[in-house]
């Protein structure tokens, strides 16, 4: 049966209309919001519903598998069907145009004609040679060929070239749809402006060929390749200015061309934005008077000054050394760097405003729009910090693991104290340079000890970083991100998978949406934000509580009662609100004084109440521990064992308060603070 079915499937002829009907039937049977992977949607598709005319569901499925082989599959099935429709209508579009059976073959160049003619002969003469060596020999032979012999190959090439031109014009007439994209890339489109390096290279190439007429392209590149980087700033600025002039003229011509050729569907986005690299742009701005950006803080200024005298130190070690030297500075020295930095920032504001006034409005917008200049306002008195709208101020930022100490740094820390004693005349920077030289002169055998330590520390740091990264929850998404994620498939289909255009269209739609339409997505973003904060607080809360010195709370754990009479008395005084009008320090002193004035009978009564509560607490605690799993019980005991010593010290201090009538009010307040933290 299966054999008969396969034979019938192969015999069945699929026309272009049949294929398009198949894709339409598949599209109808897909869900409206198809956001799953294409394989998932494909597996859930009911092929019997897709079947049409004489084509069964199985035949439709097999044909789809054939069609989908030539399409990219990293998107949803809905988007793939749009691609499949384009492919069926025009299977030779774009780069596949040359694979068309009617597309004429390009004529072989004169050199290739010579190469094909002579290769077999030279391969027999030199069987030991590789293809690369044979190519080199034939290339040299062709160069040394006299013009008379070369004329034969040139004439054959010209004849084939004319034939190719006629064939190509006929192909354009027969297939106007296929060559539509080729028409867009016609010679009538204005030429793109050249970069400063390209302008300099073409100028120098002419001069080089005058003195070296036989030079190949490789010889020219080898000779001129490194000269551009070694060119002085003054000479480089000359070519930068020429390139900018050409770019300005190109923009004007291009705008006119777009207006006169609407059929090409070109926009201002197709105009080349800039011909300068980041370094060339910086050089041009600097020559126009743009000031250098100051360091953000005193530490950065200190590092910049120190690094100028650390040329002998490897680049990987410099920041570690700077950090160590900064820690050794006194606070007044650090403050001095910070003051200098603030002064430099004020000077920078004035100089930047002066520079902005000296350039055109377009250039002002470019400078102010650069990423590093966000937050700087023209004419402002002080710099403003960049605002981060998407990051919630309530979310604690995850701590980055510290960089592991290097082998050289371990060596430096070991030898520094001894050197400081032997050479007290040396400054810190001189001492650092000396240690760097000592490290470079050290034998590999002696370096192994420090490198082993570095490896151990690095492994620990990597392990810690991986653990922290694996624990962090997914970052929250904004309302716009959630909305875009839900509609990205539709927009990509509309713009034929042109992601930048789809992204811009989505942003424009979001900006024009009314608040009522956005409410649903804002709520979803708020829920995601809560989810992130909850997961982050759950992850960090135990560490935060322990670090802050407060007792960790376990679910269902019974409340710890006062351990003696004095704690019970202080609890009563704090809870009845009688002393709420006093500041906390005076309130604790008053409680201590009142306890000392209590008769012994009253103190004994409070002591008995505390003992009874302690007995009741022990019974409840045992019952609660019995209800825990063995793992939870071990965690509780381990935590309590760490805090047992502190609790014992607190209890002893409180017992001293109860038994001794003497003591200052300050010691009373400290014991009450202890009892308060325990009772909480």
């Amino acid at each position: 049966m299966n054999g008969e079915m396969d034979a019938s499937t192969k015999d069945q002829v699929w026309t272009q209309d049949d294929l398009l009907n198949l894709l339409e039937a598949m599209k109808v049977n897909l869900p409206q919001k198809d956001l799953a992977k294409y394989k998932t949607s494909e597996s859930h598709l009911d092929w019997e519903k897709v079947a049409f005319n004489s084509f069964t569901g199985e035949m439709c499925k097999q044909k789809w598998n054939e069609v989908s082989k030539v399409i990219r599959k990293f998107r949803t099935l809905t988007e793939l069907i749009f691609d499949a429709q384009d492919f069926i209508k025009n299977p030779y579009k774009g780069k596949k145009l040359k694979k068309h059976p009617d597309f004429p073959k390009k004529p072989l160049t004169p050199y290739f004609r010579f190469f094909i003619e002579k290769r077999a002969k030279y391969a027999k003469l030199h069987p030991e040679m590789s293809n690369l060596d044979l190519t080199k020999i034939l290339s040299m032979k062709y160069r040394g060929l006299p013009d008379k012999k070369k004329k034969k190959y040139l004439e054959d090439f010209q004849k084939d070239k004319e034939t190719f031109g006629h064939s190509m014009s006929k192909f354009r007439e027969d297939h106007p749809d296929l060559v539509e994209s080729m028409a867009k890339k016609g010679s009538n489109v204005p030429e793109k402006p050249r970069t400063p390096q390209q302008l300099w290279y073409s100028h120098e190439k002419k001069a080089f060929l005058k003195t070296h007429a036989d030079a190949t392209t490789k010889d020219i590149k080898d000779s001129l390749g490194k000269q551009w980087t070694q060119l002085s700033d003054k000479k480089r600025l000359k070519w930068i200015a020429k390139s900018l002039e050409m770019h300005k003229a190109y923009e004007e011509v291009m705008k006119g061309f777009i207006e006169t050729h609407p059929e090409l569907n070109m926009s201002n986005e197709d105009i080349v934005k800039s011909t300068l690299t980041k370094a060339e742009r910086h050089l041009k701005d600097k020559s126009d008077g743009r000031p250098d950006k100051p360091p953000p803080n005193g530490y950065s200024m200190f590092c910049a000054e120190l690094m100028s005298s650390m040329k002998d130190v490897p680049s990987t070690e410099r920041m570690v050394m700077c950090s160590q030297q900064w820690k050794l500075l006194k606070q007044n020295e650090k403050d001095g760097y910070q003051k200098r930095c603030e002064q430099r920032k004020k000077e920078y504001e004035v100089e930047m405003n002066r520079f902005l006034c000296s350039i055109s409005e377009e250039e002002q917008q470019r400078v102010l729009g650069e990423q590093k200049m966000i937050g700087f306002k023209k004419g402002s008195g002080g710099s403003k910090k960049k605002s981060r709208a998407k990051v919630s101020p309530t979310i604690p930022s995850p701590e980055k693991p510290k960089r592991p100490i290097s082998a050289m740094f371990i060596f430096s820390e070991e030898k520094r104290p001894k050197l400081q004693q032997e050479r007290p005349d040396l400054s810190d920077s001189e001492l650092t340079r000396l240690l760097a030289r000592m490290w470079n002169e050290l034998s590999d055998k002696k370096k192994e000890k420090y490198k082993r330590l570095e490896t151990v520390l690095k492994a620990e740091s990597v392990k810690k970083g991986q653990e922290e990264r694996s624990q962090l929850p997914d970052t929250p998404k904004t309302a716009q991100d959630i909305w875009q994620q839900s509609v990205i498939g539709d927009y990509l289909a509309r713009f034929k998978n042109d992601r930048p255009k789809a992204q811009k269209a989505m942003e424009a739609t979001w900006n024009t949406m009314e608040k009522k339409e956005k409410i649903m997505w804002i709520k979803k973003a708020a829920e995601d934000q809560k989810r992130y904060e909850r997961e982050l607080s759950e992850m960090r809360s135990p560490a935060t509580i322990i670090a802050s010195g407060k007792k960790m709370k376990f679910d269902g754990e019974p409340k710890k009662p006062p351990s003696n009479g004095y704690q019970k008395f202080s609890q009563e005084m704090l809870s009845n609100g009688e002393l709420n009008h006093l500041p906390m320090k005076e309130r604790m002193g008053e409680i201590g004084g009142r306890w000392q004035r209590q008769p012994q009978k009253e103190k004994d009564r409070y002591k008995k109440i505390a003992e009874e509560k302690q007995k009741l607490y022990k019974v409840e605690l045992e019952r609660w521990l019995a209800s825990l799993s063995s793992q939870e019980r071990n965690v509780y005991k381990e935590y309590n064992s760490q805090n047992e010593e502190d609790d014992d010290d607190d209890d002893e201090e409180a017992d001293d308060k109860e038994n001794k009538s003497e003591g200052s009010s300050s010691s009373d307040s400290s014991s009450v603070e202890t009892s308060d933290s325990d009772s909480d």
Side-chain angles (χ1 to χ4, degrees), residues 273-313:
K273 300 295 178 190
S274 177
T275 56
L276 305 186
T277 63
K278 194 175 179 181
E280 288 164 356
R281 174 61 66 187
H282 178 73
L283 180 63
K284 178 72 172 66
D285 286 345
K286 197 174 180 181
S287 69
D288 291 341
R290 181 172 177 174
D292 291 326
K293 197 171 183 181
N297 48 49
Y299 173 67
S300 298
M301 181 174 272
F302 170 79
C303 290
E305 290 179 4
L306 191 62
M307 279 186 182
S308 60
S309 62
M310 293 172 71
K311 290 176 182 177
D312 298 334
V313 181

Side-chain angles (χ1 to χ4, degrees), residues 14 69 115 156 170 339 342 392 434 443 516 554 671:
W14 288 78
K69 282 179 184 177
F115 180 84
D156 291 344
K170 189 184 177 185
K339 282 179 184 176
E342 293 298 329
S392 171
L434 181 61
S443 64
K516 289 178 184 178
F554 293 86
S671 62

Side-chain angles (χ1 to χ4, degrees), residues 286-347:
K286 197 174 180 181
S287 69
D288 291 341
R290 181 172 177 174
D292 291 326
K293 197 171 183 181
N297 48 49
Y299 173 67
S300 298
M301 181 174 272
F302 170 79
C303 290
E305 290 179 4
L306 191 62
M307 279 186 182
S308 60
S309 62
M310 293 172 71
K311 290 176 182 177
D312 298 334
V313 181
S315 57
T316 52
E317 308 292 338
R318 287 176 190 174
M319 284 310 298
V320 181
M321 294 287 188
C322 288
S323 174
Q324 189 63 24
Q325 293 298 320
W326 176 259
K327 287 175 185 175
L328 297 172
L329 292 180
K330 294 175 184 177
Q331 190 56 46
N332 61 346
E333 291 175 319
K334 290 179 181 179
D335 292 341
Y337 277 103
Q338 191 61 38
K339 282 179 184 176
R340 281 171 57 199
C341 182
E342 293 298 329
Q343 183 62 33
R344 180 71 194 89
K345 282 180 182 178
K346 288 174 184 176
E347 291 170 5

Side-chain angles (χ1 to χ4, degrees), residues 300-463:
S300 298
M301 181 174 272
F302 170 79
C303 290
E305 290 179 4
L306 191 62
M307 279 186 182
S308 60
S309 62
M310 293 172 71
K311 290 176 182 177
D312 298 334
V313 181
S315 57
T316 52
E317 308 292 338
R318 287 176 190 174
M319 284 310 298
V320 181
M321 294 287 188
C322 288
S323 174
Q324 189 63 24
Q325 293 298 320
W326 176 259
K327 287 175 185 175
L328 297 172
L329 292 180
K330 294 175 184 177
Q331 190 56 46
N332 61 346
E333 291 175 319
K334 290 179 181 179
D335 292 341
Y337 277 103
Q338 191 61 38
K339 282 179 184 176
R340 281 171 57 199
C341 182
E342 293 298 329
Q343 183 62 33
R344 180 71 194 89
K345 282 180 182 178
K346 288 174 184 176
E347 291 170 5
Y348 172 75
E349 293 277 344
V350 175
E351 290 170 11
M352 178 54 81
N353 282 316
R354 195 181 297 144
F355 168 70
L356 289 170
C357 293
S358 66
I359 57 179
S360 63
E361 286 186 14
E362 287 180 9
E363 287 294 297
Q364 283 181 18
Q365 288 174 3
R366 177 188 63 78
V367 172
L368 293 170
E370 284 177 5
Q371 191 178 353
K372 290 186 180 179
M373 294 301 295
I374 291 172
F376 178 89
K377 288 192 177 180
K378 187 183 171 186
S380 62
S383 61
K384 295 184 180 181
K385 289 182 180 179
K386 182 181 174 182
S387 62
R388 299 177 187 265
K390 291 187 181 179
V391 181
S392 171
T394 59
I395 300 168
S397 59
E399 293 178 3
K400 289 184 181 178
K402 288 184 180 178
R403 184 181 171 185
I405 297 169
S406 63
M408 182 185 173
F409 187 76
I410 297 165
F411 168 79
S412 301
E413 289 305 293
E414 189 182 293
K415 302 293 180 186
R416 188 181 289 276
K418 191 179 177 182
L419 273 175
Q420 281 175 335
Q421 288 178 355
E422 291 174 359
R423 304 285 301 274
D425 55 311
L426 292 176
S427 65
D428 289 333
S429 57
E430 288 171 336
L431 203 64
T432 304
R433 285 201 295 275
L434 181 61
L435 285 164
R437 281 199 294 273
M438 286 170 68
W439 170 257
N440 292 332
E441 291 165 6
L442 208 66
S443 64
D444 293 339
K445 218 173 190 180
K446 290 181 179 179
K447 280 182 182 179
E448 276 180 19
K449 169 191 166 184
Y450 303 102
K451 285 180 179 176
R452 279 198 299 272
L453 283 169
E454 181 190 4
T455 308
V456 172
L457 291 168
K458 194 174 183 180
E460 287 176 5
S461 176
V462 169
K463 190 180 176 183

Side-chain angles (χ1 to χ4, degrees), residues 90-136:
N90 194 348
Y92 298 103
K93 191 177 179 181
K95 292 179 181 177
K96 295 178 183 177
L97 182 65
K98 291 179 182 179
K99 292 182 181 179
H100 196 282
D102 298 338
F103 192 85
K105 287 185 179 180
K106 281 190 175 182
L108 293 172
T109 60
Y111 166 69
F112 265 104
R113 291 169 189 274
F114 170 81
F115 180 84
I116 291 165
E117 189 182 295
K118 303 292 182 185
R119 190 188 178 286
K121 179 186 171 183
Y122 278 87
K124 281 182 182 179
L125 288 170
H126 306 284
E128 76 285 353
M129 281 192 177
S130 64
N131 287 328
L132 184 65
D133 294 331
L134 279 171
T135 306
K136 285 179 181 177

